[in-house]
Amino acid sequence: MHKPRMQLLASFDIASLQYLDERGQTTQALPDFATPDTLEALYRQMTLARMVDDRAVKMQRTGQLGTYPSSLGQEAIGVGVAAAMAKEDVYCPNYRETGALLERGVRIEEIYTIWGGDERGQNFCHVREDLPLSVPIATQMLHGAGVAFALKYKHEQLSQPMRAAVTSGGDGATSKGDFYEAINLAGDWKLPLVVVINNNQWAISLSRSGQTACRTLAQKAIAAGIPSLQVDGNDVIAVYQAVTEALQQAHAGGGPSLIEAVSYRLCDHTTADDASRYQPAEELKEAWAREPLRRLRAYLETLGAWGEAREEAMQRELKEILEESVRVYRQAPRDTATAIFDHLYETLPEAFVEQYQQLQGDS
Amino acid sequence: MAQITLVEAVTQALAFEMQRDPKVVVFGEDVGLNGGVFRATDGLQARFGRERVLDTPLAENMIGGMAIGMAAQGLRPVAEFQFMGFIYPALDQILSHAGRYRNRTRGRLSCPIVYRAPYGGGIHAPEHHSESTEALFAHIPGLRLVVPSSPARAYGLLLAAIRDPDPVMFLEPKRIYRAVRQEVVDSGEALPLDRAFVLREGRDITLVAWGASLKEALQVAEQLSREGIEVEVIDLATLKPLDIHTIIDSLEKTHRCVLIHEAARFCGVGAEVASQINEYAFDLLLAPVQRVTGFDTVMPYFQLEDAYLPGVPRIMTAVREVLEYANGGVA
Ligand SMILES: Cc1ncc(C[n+]2csc(CCOP(=O)(O)OP(=O)(O)O)c2C)c(N)n1
Ligand SMILES: [Mg+2]
């Protein structure tokens, strides 16, 4: 059969970024921000995130916390993303976000309060505009697009400074319409939005390959007409740098971008899960060799900026902070039952007052 | 002063509020350049600009979800779904987030959103264009559910909905979008969002309806009035929160009640009204409350839609039954 002649209309590339390899050796010259001080601060936050997660899992095991999604192995993503954000930017998070929340200024006890089954944890006392943790997969990405619209609108129509929204989700989230709808809208309307995918290779028991035939998740941005990049999600320098550039573009009115941060979930999906049912032990072992903390510490050590003594001092300090937060969390009295009505509407309509009083009488 | 239709009253309310409050943003499919497929947003883009009246890509879940982020940032989004039958992709966003944001964050963030949609049958539209599934939304905590039935109420209730600090489903009965013209003063005055309206006073029986069904309810009242039977007609208007007081006050007089809605009978909003009458006003009743509703079937293609919709004959039969009901079984 005659083969028709066709013309190439467009072609696309997907780039990937890494600065620190798994042994903590630089693969290229580091960006300017990567001073020893900054890297130490990032290392500290990543260590704290790991401790917060570890403590949460232990509390869940002893009945002091509900189901908990640890971010073990993915600390560089959360910390790197949030560290690159300006305080005034707005974060629209997924649920597996310990490092990012801490870096944004959410209190440890607030994180525990949420997973301890109490909405008051979502009332972030220091971070008033960030969205709450979102459980229905990918839905928050559309909120992120809406926030980005509002920030652009307030800049252009109401003369406020330009800010940007950052939203995050997992590899599983990229299979949902919400994800595509969000990046498609953001591209079409040039919204100041950065979408970060934590590709931790698993969506509960479904591996990354079961999610899509796409070779990278970053390439999904092509269908939305927006730039994208894959970064080594275990390299906090790469994450920070990619998000910084994406935010610069967003702040300058250049529109959205997508960042796929490749990492690995070194823990169960949540405390209610048993990953040994589906996660190959060999793969897990290999993934541990690539985890983000060790490589950053190794790099700091090669600079001579870090050593056993400083590590121990930091661990001690962080442990104190953590234990104080645990104490605050544990001591908080349970909310009153009628709180379930207090924020249902701004003012409780008369039609619900009878139910309110009934609950008040019962409790 | 100009006499305007219900759909023009919607436009007038949107324009008034956009003029008054720069945080009001209108968006949806075809709402900008085209002014909406029913022209509810006609002229708004020309007047307020493409920055405030936006044609979105075709994705309802997106429309539902982006409104939440906008609202969390203090804007006043008014989102149009082109038809009620196409809201369902956004049900997740409305149910999982819009109605819960205030509670989830213990008041830190909220969703002052209006989700508008034309709804109901009777205009000979294709499948999915004639739905009356308001009960789905009535069941969602944290939402308000409003259905106007006249130009003046559309204007006043929509203003109230946009100004309300919580999410409102605002369902516009498209069968009566252009049924009547009425003078509507463009005063910016809102109506309360928790009050039913007595459209016609009467002492013999109470008809409760909302949206387009009020047309038939009022026709029945008119016909019976010629026989000396005085029917009280109530427009429920704010389906959630529901104003049971106005209905009970009416039953104090009439002691008899018929509920009318286009939506399917099972778990329809009429069931809730009947149940509340039972709970709060059982002693007032001289006859069981009856419902005249759509059937528990799929909304048919339009050849059969009149058979589905609660028309005057079915309402009349129910009203007569309730009027003639005598508690004969028990001595
Ligand atoms: C819409 C929706 N479907 C199913 C679930 C149950 N669920 C919770 S997490 C999860 C997997 C998500 O995987 P991914 O997006 O990769 O994020 P990860 O948990 O790996 O961080 C599933 C199926 C949910 N929360 N929301
Ligand atoms: Mg995952």
Side-chain angles (χ1 to χ4, degrees):
Chain A
M1 213 184 79
H2 176 70
K3 192 171 187 297
R5 182 153 22 107
M6 289 184 254
Q7 281 172 344
L8 184 65
L9 271 190
S11 60
F12 303 94
D13 304 308
I14 298 297
S16 105
L17 180 68
Q18 186 196 53
Y19 291 98
L20 273 190
D21 70 13
E22 59 188 74
R23 289 160 302 158
Q25 291 177 356
T26 55
T27 53
Q28 58 178 312
L30 299 191
D32 289 346
F33 81 84
T35 60
D37 280 356
T38 308
L39 295 183
E40 279 174 25
L42 294 170
Y43 179 64
R44 180 183 181 279
Q45 284 296 75
M46 287 162 60
T47 309
L48 181 60
R50 187 164 291 186
M51 289 168 74
V52 168
D53 280 342
D54 181 63
R55 193 77 166 88
V57 172
K58 292 196 172 100
M59 284 201 284
Q60 190 281 332
R61 301 288 186 235
T62 52
Q64 302 168 73
L65 204 69
T67 300
Y68 186 83
S70 171
S71 64
L72 183 65
Q74 303 136 74
E75 296 88 350
I77 301 176
V79 170
V81 168
M85 292 173 67
K87 194 171 185 311
E88 299 71 32
D89 291 331
V90 180
Y91 188 48
C92 311
N94 195 24
Y95 50 80
R96 193 187 301 286
E97 299 292 1
T98 316
L101 296 178
L102 296 175
E103 184 65 27
R104 289 294 292 164
V106 175
R107 301 182 67 89
I108 297 168
E109 56 267 31
E110 288 174 332
I111 298 174
Y112 290 160
T113 302
I114 295 169
W115 300 106
D118 183 340
E119 289 90 339
R120 287 177 296 181
Q122 301 263 35
N123 187 5
F124 307 148
C125 69
H126 294 313
V127 194
R128 304 304 291 169
E129 288 183 79
D130 283 6
L131 301 191
L133 301 197
S134 176
V135 172
I137 301 302
T139 52
Q140 71 281 357
M141 294 175 167
L142 285 169
H143 309 163
V147 167
F149 174 89
L151 297 175
K152 184 172 188 250
Y153 183 88
K154 290 201 268 189
H155 174 62
E156 290 171 357
Q157 305 291 311
L158 309 173
S159 310
Q160 295 186 11
M162 185 65 158
R163 302 188 279 158
V166 177
T167 187
S168 60
D171 43 300
T174 63
S175 295
K176 269 195 86 197
D178 302 57
F179 161 74
Y180 178 70
E181 290 173 357
I183 57 174
N184 183 59
L185 178 77
D188 194 31
W189 289 7
K190 263 200 165 191
L191 301 179
L193 179 69
V194 179
V195 178
V196 179
I197 300 304
N198 170 352
N199 175 2
N200 63 11
Q201 312 300 330
W202 295 95
I204 308 186
S205 65
L206 190 65
S207 68
R208 158 63 188 80
S209 65
Q211 211 59 249
T212 173
C214 288
R215 186 162 148 214
T216 67
L217 299 178
Q219 75 200 56
K220 293 194 170 203
I222 294 165
I226 70 173
S228 69
L229 180 67
Q230 190 182 77
V231 302
D232 183 340
N234 293 335
D235 171 8
V236 73
I237 303 175
V239 174
Y240 185 106
Q241 179 61 20
V243 176
T244 300
E245 280 180 29
L247 280 169
Q248 272 164 4
Q249 172 185 309
H251 288 147
S257 38
L258 174 72
I259 295 166
E260 174 193 5
V262 179
S263 182
Y264 197 91
R265 204 190 73 213
L266 295 175
C267 51
D268 294 331
H269 167 67
T270 64
T271 51
D273 176 51
D274 173 8
S276 70
R277 293 169 61 88
Y278 52 82
Q279 217 174 36
E282 195 53 32
E283 185 182 294
L284 182 63
K285 210 174 124 208
E286 283 167 26
W288 266 107
R290 295 190 300 272
E291 68 91 13
L293 266 70
R294 197 183 328 171
R295 71 172 74 177
L296 184 55
R297 180 177 169 180
Y299 175 69
L300 288 170
E301 282 172 356
T302 60
L303 294 182
W306 201 257
E308 201 52 49
R310 290 200 60 191
E311 176 77 21
E312 269 173 29
M314 179 189 75
Q315 294 269 356
R316 251 197 324 275
E317 181 221 336
L318 294 180
K319 196 150 176 33
E320 254 169 54
I321 294 172
L322 179 61
E323 288 314 316
E324 174 59 15
S325 302
V326 168
R327 199 185 57 76
V328 173
Y329 160 65
R330 284 212 197 116
Q331 280 185 350
R334 181 180 288 227
D335 212 351
T336 49
T338 48
I340 65 176
F341 281 103
D342 289 338
H343 301 285
L344 188 58
Y345 298 91
E346 189 188 63
T347 314
L348 191 68
E350 201 258 7
F352 304 103
V353 168
E354 187 183 307
Q355 290 182 35
Y356 181 94
Q357 286 168 345
Q358 189 186 5
L359 179 62
Q360 204 169 29
D362 287 349
S363 55
Chain B
M1 187 179 307
Q3 305 256 325
I4 60 172
T5 61
L6 195 156
V7 69
E8 287 164 350
V10 167
T11 320
Q12 186 169 296
L14 291 171
F16 186 95
E17 207 52 16
M18 291 193 79
Q19 180 67 39
R20 194 187 72 84
D21 182 355
K23 294 200 163 135
V24 177
V25 176
V26 169
F27 55 95
E29 293 160 11
D30 307 291
V31 302
L33 192 58
N34 194 34
V37 293
F38 288 99
R39 308 288 175 261
T41 52
D42 197 23
L44 294 181
Q45 191 180 68
R47 180 162 165 204
F48 296 103
R50 291 168 57 159
E51 298 74 25
R52 296 186 65 195
V53 183
L54 300 104
D55 286 317
T56 63
L58 204 165
E60 287 76 14
N61 180 51
M62 181 203 78
I63 292 170
M66 66 191 276
I68 292 163
M70 292 161 77
Q73 268 296 316
L75 297 188
R76 294 269 162 172
V78 181
E80 175 176 302
F81 295 107
Q82 203 158 64
F83 288 88
M84 182 168 215
F86 306 125
I87 300 181
Y88 312 131
L91 202 51
D92 180 30
Q93 289 288 348
I94 296 170
L95 200 164
S96 304
H97 294 297
R100 309 167 74 124
Y101 239 68
R102 180 186 291 285
N103 178 66
R104 180 183 299 149
T105 61
R106 285 297 189 249
R108 181 168 62 87
L109 299 171
S110 58
C111 287
I113 301 166
V114 180
Y115 292 116
R116 295 179 40 245
Y119 98 112
I123 64 157
H124 284 205
E127 192 178 358
H128 309 292
H129 293 69
S130 301
E131 309 282 296
S132 295
T133 46
E134 65 270 24
L136 293 177
F137 299 94
H139 201 64
I140 298 176
L143 289 188
R144 288 175 181 273
L145 177 56
V146 178
V147 181
S149 68
S150 76
R153 286 189 291 282
Y155 179 78
L157 289 171
L158 182 52
L159 283 177
I162 302 173
R163 291 172 196 168
D164 191 81
D166 290 299
V168 180
M169 294 299 304
F170 194 84
L171 303 179
E172 299 162 9
K174 59 180 177 291
R175 180 158 65 91
I176 57 168
Y177 254 161
R178 299 182 167 81
V180 292
R181 290 187 169 274
Q182 200 178 36
E183 253 180 37
V184 180
V185 188
D186 196 10
S187 61
E189 207 156 306
L191 286 166
L193 282 184
D194 52 4
R195 201 81 53 76
F197 299 90
V198 178
L199 301 189
R200 179 181 175 119
E201 293 194 18
R203 58 174 191 272
D204 296 319
I205 187 167
T206 304
L207 295 190
V208 178
W210 51 92
S213 293
L214 280 158
K215 194 172 161 190
E216 285 72 41
L218 288 165
Q219 278 172 19
V220 166
E222 190 59 35
Q223 283 183 33
L224 288 174
S225 156
R226 282 180 232 132
E227 299 174 23
I229 297 166
E230 292 308 330
V231 178
E232 183 139 307
V233 179
I234 294 177
D235 174 6
L236 198 57
T238 60
L239 277 53
K240 190 182 189 181
L242 188 144
D243 172 17
I244 197 67
H245 299 297
T246 298
I247 296 171
I248 294 173
D249 288 350
S250 178
L251 292 177
E252 301 260 8
K253 259 190 317 193
T254 64
H255 308 288
R256 297 170 198 272
C257 184
V258 172
L259 309 169
I260 306 161
H261 57 69
E262 276 186 36
R265 181 200 271 302
F266 190 84
C267 284
V269 173
E272 176 65 28
V273 177
S275 186
Q276 291 204 20
I277 292 174
N278 189 43
E279 284 165 19
Y280 300 116
F282 183 70
D283 291 344
L284 294 176
L285 294 177
L286 288 175
V289 175
Q290 272 218 34
R291 285 178 287 165
V292 186
T293 67
F295 296 102
D296 290 331
T297 65
V298 174
M299 177 75 189
Y301 280 26
F302 64 79
Q303 293 273 350
L304 296 180
E305 77 177 334
D306 286 344
Y308 176 93
L309 295 170
V312 170
R314 274 169 62 202
I315 299 171
M316 194 61 95
T317 305
V319 168
R320 290 199 192 280
E321 267 176 35
V322 171
L323 282 170
E324 285 156 21
Y325 182 90
N327 196 352
V330 192

